[in-house]
Amino acid sequence: MVYYSTLRHPTFGCSGGEASQFEENYPFSMVHPDDLALIRERWDEMIYTKTSVRLEWRFVKVDETCIWLEGIGTPILTSDGKIESILITGREITERKIQERKLRESEQRYRDISERLAERKKSIVLLPKIPRI
């Protein structure tokens, strides 16, 4: 059984009519091409190990803009240990990713300034104090 929450439609940029297109393509075709190999690798890991996996990836919305998602895939096992279904929960983390990028850029600017100041300090020659007569 496949269940798709209708709450996800606004997040993914699709209305009720476009939702069927989304459901037919889910889960891999709407993943950003640069993230697809990682998604497939982690999916295979989850199937092989039968354990949950956590992942962050870019999702291409219906209007072709991208958002960042964080998801956890959890295999639901039968009593004999076979995968019966997979539960995928997720949330949008686009704003968090933007803030993380800004923080990295700010830290890099600070490092650059610190390094330039350290270089200038090395080039300054301090003369000894000359006693006054």
Side-chain angles (χ1 to χ4, degrees):
M1 177 175 103
V2 177
Y3 169 75
Y4 298 98
S5 169
T6 55
L7 296 175
R8 67 166 161 57
H9 294 166
T11 301
F12 297 150
C14 59
S15 64
E18 296 167 319
S20 61
Q21 174 191 359
F22 172 82
E23 291 164 2
E24 291 168 8
N25 294 325
Y26 192 77
F28 297 114
S29 67
M30 299 185 81
V31 171
H32 190 281
D34 293 344
D35 299 333
L36 191 55
L38 178 62
I39 290 279
R40 290 181 190 265
E41 178 183 311
R42 297 303 304 271
W43 182 268
D44 291 345
E45 174 188 334
M46 179 182 58
I47 299 297
Y48 179 74
T49 63
K50 298 180 183 175
T51 59
S52 296
V53 294
R54 184 192 158 282
L55 189 57
E56 295 177 0
W57 72 96
R58 287 165 291 178
F59 181 90
V60 182
K61 293 170 53 170
V62 173
D63 66 3
E64 298 186 2
T65 59
C66 287
I67 58 172
W68 278 95
L69 298 177
E70 174 184 54
I72 299 174
T74 304
I76 309 301
L77 306 178
T78 61
S79 58
D80 60 348
K82 294 180 182 173
I83 296 176
E84 177 181 11
S85 59
I86 296 173
L87 173 65
I88 300 174
T89 57
R91 63 184 175 145
E92 182 181 357
I93 59 167
T94 305
E95 187 59 34
R96 185 183 89 197
K97 297 299 272 188
I98 290 168
Q99 295 305 319
E100 287 173 350
R101 179 182 48 82
K102 287 180 179 180
L103 179 60
R104 281 191 306 275
E105 290 170 354
S106 175
E107 289 172 341
Q108 185 59 51
R109 282 192 303 275
Y110 178 77
R111 278 192 293 279
D112 292 345
I113 291 169
S114 296
E115 288 171 9
R116 282 185 289 209
L117 288 174
E119 288 300 315
R120 284 187 180 175
K121 187 176 179 182
K122 289 178 187 176
S123 65
I124 296 174
V125 177
L126 298 175
L127 299 173
K129 285 188 174 181
I130 300 175
R132 290 186 156 184
I133 302 179

